[in-house]
Amino acid sequence: MDNATSRSKEVDTYIATQPPETQRALEELRSCIHQAAPEASELMNYNIPAFALVKGGKRDKQIMIAGYAKHVAFYPHPDTIDAFADKLAAYKFAKDSIQFPLNKPIPRALVIEMVEFRLSQLQE
């Protein structure tokens, strides 16, 4: 599946309704996810963009993103957050989400590494 066919018009619409800085950050997260998991398919889940890492993958096999006024949220899976807790010390995070502030660059390498980690877990 190429990047064009894996994109969702609903995800495009969600991103387009966000303020410009939030749009930029969401597109950057989207790009990182597709770079790490080129086969991921986009959909909307819980009214936010989701990326199924395996064909037909439900919530536990998806990575999700969302836009907010001062940050974007990244939902890679609690196991992934646990595995990367040391590297996430500079960010606000909880059991299932990480907040990347809009006034700082998205940590692309870290996001890609987390997506690859989660994908490898699902392929085991």
Side-chain angles (χ1 to χ4, degrees), residues 29 33 48-49 51 59 62-68 71-78 80-81 96-100 118:
L29 285 174
I33 293 166
I48 61 173
F51 302 81
R59 171 62 188 107
Q62 296 174 2
I63 287 179
M64 300 164 77
I65 61 176
Y68 297 94
H71 69 276
V72 287
F74 180 61
Y75 305 88
H77 188 271
T80 304
I81 292 173
D96 63 353
S97 68
I98 305 156
Q99 293 182 10
F100 296 123
R118 183 64 185 142

Short mmCIF file of all heavy atoms in Angstrom, two decimals, residues 29 33 48-49 51 59 62-68 71-78 80-81 96-100 118:
data_model
loop_
_atom_site.label_atom_id
_atom_site.label_comp_id
_atom_site.label_asym_id
_atom_site.label_seq_id
_atom_site.Cartn_x
_atom_site.Cartn_y
_atom_site.Cartn_z
N LEU A 29 3.56 14.18 12.77
CA LEU A 29 3.35 12.88 13.42
C LEU A 29 2.87 11.85 12.40
O LEU A 29 3.34 10.71 12.38
CB LEU A 29 2.33 13.00 14.56
CG LEU A 29 2.82 13.67 15.84
CD1 LEU A 29 1.65 13.85 16.81
CD2 LEU A 29 3.93 12.85 16.49
N ILE A 33 4.70 8.30 11.44
CA ILE A 33 4.02 7.01 11.54
C ILE A 33 4.13 6.26 10.21
O ILE A 33 4.48 5.08 10.18
CB ILE A 33 2.56 7.19 11.98
CG1 ILE A 33 2.51 7.71 13.42
CG2 ILE A 33 1.78 5.87 11.84
CD1 ILE A 33 1.16 8.26 13.86
N ILE A 48 -10.76 10.80 16.57
CA ILE A 48 -9.41 11.31 16.31
C ILE A 48 -8.71 10.39 15.31
O ILE A 48 -9.12 9.23 15.14
CB ILE A 48 -8.56 11.45 17.60
CG1 ILE A 48 -8.37 10.10 18.30
CG2 ILE A 48 -9.19 12.49 18.54
CD1 ILE A 48 -7.41 10.14 19.48
N PRO A 49 -7.66 10.88 14.64
CA PRO A 49 -6.95 10.04 13.67
C PRO A 49 -6.29 8.83 14.33
O PRO A 49 -5.67 8.94 15.39
CB PRO A 49 -5.89 10.99 13.10
CG PRO A 49 -6.47 12.36 13.29
CD PRO A 49 -7.20 12.26 14.61
N PHE A 51 -4.13 5.00 13.27
CA PHE A 51 -3.33 4.31 12.26
C PHE A 51 -3.28 2.84 12.65
O PHE A 51 -2.64 2.49 13.65
CB PHE A 51 -1.93 4.92 12.20
CG PHE A 51 -1.95 6.38 11.89
CD1 PHE A 51 -2.21 7.31 12.90
CD2 PHE A 51 -1.75 6.84 10.60
CE1 PHE A 51 -2.27 8.67 12.62
CE2 PHE A 51 -1.82 8.21 10.32
CZ PHE A 51 -2.07 9.11 11.33
N ARG A 59 -8.28 -1.08 18.37
CA ARG A 59 -7.63 -0.07 19.22
C ARG A 59 -6.25 -0.49 19.73
O ARG A 59 -5.31 0.29 19.69
CB ARG A 59 -8.56 0.28 20.40
CG ARG A 59 -7.93 1.16 21.48
CD ARG A 59 -7.53 2.52 20.92
NE ARG A 59 -6.79 3.29 21.89
CZ ARG A 59 -5.49 3.53 21.83
NH1 ARG A 59 -4.75 3.06 20.85
NH2 ARG A 59 -4.89 4.26 22.74
N GLN A 62 -3.53 -0.05 17.10
CA GLN A 62 -3.51 1.25 16.44
C GLN A 62 -2.65 2.23 17.22
O GLN A 62 -2.48 2.09 18.44
CB GLN A 62 -4.92 1.83 16.37
CG GLN A 62 -5.88 1.04 15.52
CD GLN A 62 -7.30 1.58 15.61
OE1 GLN A 62 -7.57 2.58 16.26
NE2 GLN A 62 -8.22 0.89 14.95
N ILE A 63 -2.16 3.21 16.51
CA ILE A 63 -1.53 4.38 17.11
C ILE A 63 -2.44 5.54 16.76
O ILE A 63 -2.92 5.65 15.63
CB ILE A 63 -0.10 4.58 16.57
CG1 ILE A 63 0.80 3.50 17.18
CG2 ILE A 63 0.41 5.98 16.85
CD1 ILE A 63 2.22 3.54 16.74
N MET A 64 -2.69 6.41 17.72
CA MET A 64 -3.62 7.51 17.50
C MET A 64 -2.92 8.85 17.76
O MET A 64 -1.93 8.90 18.50
CB MET A 64 -4.85 7.34 18.39
CG MET A 64 -5.58 6.04 18.09
SD MET A 64 -6.75 5.52 19.35
CE MET A 64 -8.10 6.60 18.99
N ILE A 65 -3.46 9.91 17.16
CA ILE A 65 -2.95 11.26 17.38
C ILE A 65 -4.13 12.20 17.54
O ILE A 65 -5.23 11.91 17.08
CB ILE A 65 -2.03 11.74 16.23
CG1 ILE A 65 -2.78 11.77 14.88
CG2 ILE A 65 -0.78 10.86 16.13
CD1 ILE A 65 -1.97 12.33 13.71
N ALA A 66 -3.90 13.33 18.20
CA ALA A 66 -4.98 14.31 18.38
C ALA A 66 -4.38 15.69 18.54
O ALA A 66 -3.26 15.84 19.05
CB ALA A 66 -5.83 13.96 19.59
N GLY A 67 -5.13 16.70 18.14
CA GLY A 67 -4.68 18.08 18.26
C GLY A 67 -5.39 18.81 19.38
O GLY A 67 -6.59 18.62 19.58
N TYR A 68 -4.65 19.64 20.08
CA TYR A 68 -5.18 20.45 21.17
C TYR A 68 -4.61 21.87 21.04
O TYR A 68 -3.76 22.12 20.20
CB TYR A 68 -4.83 19.83 22.53
CG TYR A 68 -5.47 18.48 22.71
CD1 TYR A 68 -4.78 17.31 22.40
CD2 TYR A 68 -6.79 18.37 23.15
CE1 TYR A 68 -5.38 16.07 22.53
CE2 TYR A 68 -7.40 17.12 23.29
CZ TYR A 68 -6.68 15.99 22.98
OH TYR A 68 -7.28 14.76 23.11
N HIS A 71 -0.77 21.61 22.41
CA HIS A 71 0.04 20.42 22.17
C HIS A 71 -0.68 19.48 21.21
O HIS A 71 -1.86 19.67 20.91
CB HIS A 71 0.34 19.68 23.49
CG HIS A 71 -0.86 19.03 24.10
ND1 HIS A 71 -1.75 19.70 24.90
CD2 HIS A 71 -1.32 17.76 24.01
CE1 HIS A 71 -2.70 18.87 25.29
NE2 HIS A 71 -2.48 17.68 24.76
N VAL A 72 0.07 18.50 20.75
CA VAL A 72 -0.54 17.36 20.05
C VAL A 72 -0.32 16.15 20.94
O VAL A 72 0.69 16.06 21.65
CB VAL A 72 0.03 17.13 18.64
CG1 VAL A 72 -0.46 18.20 17.67
CG2 VAL A 72 1.54 17.04 18.63
N ALA A 73 -1.28 15.25 20.91
CA ALA A 73 -1.17 14.04 21.71
C ALA A 73 -0.83 12.87 20.79
O ALA A 73 -1.32 12.79 19.66
CB ALA A 73 -2.47 13.77 22.46
N PHE A 74 -0.01 11.99 21.31
CA PHE A 74 0.44 10.80 20.60
C PHE A 74 0.11 9.61 21.49
O PHE A 74 0.48 9.59 22.66
CB PHE A 74 1.95 10.92 20.35
CG PHE A 74 2.58 9.79 19.61
CD1 PHE A 74 2.19 9.46 18.33
CD2 PHE A 74 3.60 9.06 20.20
CE1 PHE A 74 2.81 8.42 17.64
CE2 PHE A 74 4.22 8.03 19.53
CZ PHE A 74 3.82 7.70 18.24
N TYR A 75 -0.64 8.66 20.94
CA TYR A 75 -1.11 7.51 21.71
C TYR A 75 -0.51 6.23 21.11
O TYR A 75 -1.15 5.58 20.29
CB TYR A 75 -2.64 7.42 21.67
CG TYR A 75 -3.36 8.67 22.11
CD1 TYR A 75 -3.66 9.70 21.22
CD2 TYR A 75 -3.77 8.81 23.44
CE1 TYR A 75 -4.34 10.84 21.63
CE2 TYR A 75 -4.47 9.95 23.86
CZ TYR A 75 -4.74 10.95 22.94
OH TYR A 75 -5.41 12.08 23.35
N PRO A 76 0.71 5.86 21.50
CA PRO A 76 1.36 4.70 20.87
C PRO A 76 0.98 3.35 21.46
O PRO A 76 1.08 2.35 20.79
CB PRO A 76 2.84 4.98 21.07
CG PRO A 76 2.90 5.75 22.34
CD PRO A 76 1.63 6.58 22.37
N HIS A 77 0.62 3.26 22.69
CA HIS A 77 0.19 2.07 23.44
C HIS A 77 0.93 2.12 24.78
O HIS A 77 2.09 2.51 24.84
CB HIS A 77 0.51 0.76 22.71
CG HIS A 77 -0.10 -0.43 23.38
ND1 HIS A 77 0.54 -1.14 24.38
CD2 HIS A 77 -1.29 -1.04 23.21
CE1 HIS A 77 -0.24 -2.14 24.78
NE2 HIS A 77 -1.36 -2.10 24.09
N PRO A 78 0.29 1.73 25.86
CA PRO A 78 0.94 1.79 27.18
C PRO A 78 2.28 1.03 27.24
O PRO A 78 3.23 1.50 27.88
CB PRO A 78 -0.09 1.17 28.12
CG PRO A 78 -1.41 1.50 27.48
CD PRO A 78 -1.15 1.38 25.99
N THR A 80 4.46 0.71 24.92
CA THR A 80 5.47 1.55 24.25
C THR A 80 5.89 2.69 25.17
O THR A 80 7.08 2.97 25.30
CB THR A 80 4.90 2.10 22.93
OG1 THR A 80 4.48 1.00 22.13
CG2 THR A 80 5.94 2.91 22.18
N ILE A 81 4.94 3.30 25.82
CA ILE A 81 5.28 4.39 26.75
C ILE A 81 6.15 3.87 27.88
O ILE A 81 7.15 4.50 28.24
CB ILE A 81 4.00 5.09 27.26
CG1 ILE A 81 3.33 5.83 26.09
CG2 ILE A 81 4.33 6.05 28.41
CD1 ILE A 81 1.98 6.41 26.40
N ASP A 96 -1.18 6.21 28.70
CA ASP A 96 -1.49 5.91 27.30
C ASP A 96 -1.23 7.05 26.31
O ASP A 96 -1.51 6.90 25.13
CB ASP A 96 -2.93 5.44 27.16
CG ASP A 96 -3.93 6.51 27.56
OD1 ASP A 96 -3.52 7.56 28.07
OD2 ASP A 96 -5.14 6.29 27.36
N SER A 97 -0.70 8.18 26.78
CA SER A 97 -0.50 9.29 25.84
C SER A 97 0.73 10.13 26.19
O SER A 97 1.17 10.16 27.34
CB SER A 97 -1.72 10.21 25.82
OG SER A 97 -1.86 10.87 27.06
N ILE A 98 1.23 10.79 25.16
CA ILE A 98 2.37 11.70 25.29
C ILE A 98 1.93 13.03 24.70
O ILE A 98 1.28 13.06 23.65
CB ILE A 98 3.58 11.18 24.50
CG1 ILE A 98 3.93 9.75 24.96
CG2 ILE A 98 4.77 12.11 24.66
CD1 ILE A 98 4.68 8.96 23.93
N GLN A 99 2.29 14.13 25.36
CA GLN A 99 1.97 15.45 24.85
C GLN A 99 3.24 16.09 24.29
O GLN A 99 4.22 16.24 25.00
CB GLN A 99 1.41 16.34 25.95
CG GLN A 99 0.07 15.89 26.46
CD GLN A 99 -0.49 16.81 27.52
OE1 GLN A 99 0.02 17.90 27.77
NE2 GLN A 99 -1.56 16.37 28.16
N PHE A 100 3.19 16.47 23.01
CA PHE A 100 4.27 17.21 22.39
C PHE A 100 3.82 18.65 22.24
O PHE A 100 2.85 18.93 21.51
CB PHE A 100 4.63 16.61 21.02
CG PHE A 100 5.16 15.20 21.09
CD1 PHE A 100 4.54 14.18 20.40
CD2 PHE A 100 6.29 14.90 21.85
CE1 PHE A 100 5.03 12.89 20.45
CE2 PHE A 100 6.78 13.60 21.90
CZ PHE A 100 6.16 12.60 21.20
N ARG A 118 6.42 -0.59 18.55
CA ARG A 118 5.06 -1.13 18.66
C ARG A 118 4.76 -2.09 17.52
O ARG A 118 4.15 -3.15 17.72
CB ARG A 118 4.03 0.02 18.71
CG ARG A 118 2.62 -0.47 18.91
CD ARG A 118 2.45 -1.16 20.25
NE ARG A 118 1.10 -1.72 20.38
CZ ARG A 118 0.83 -2.88 20.97
NH1 ARG A 118 1.78 -3.58 21.54
NH2 ARG A 118 -0.40 -3.32 21.02
#
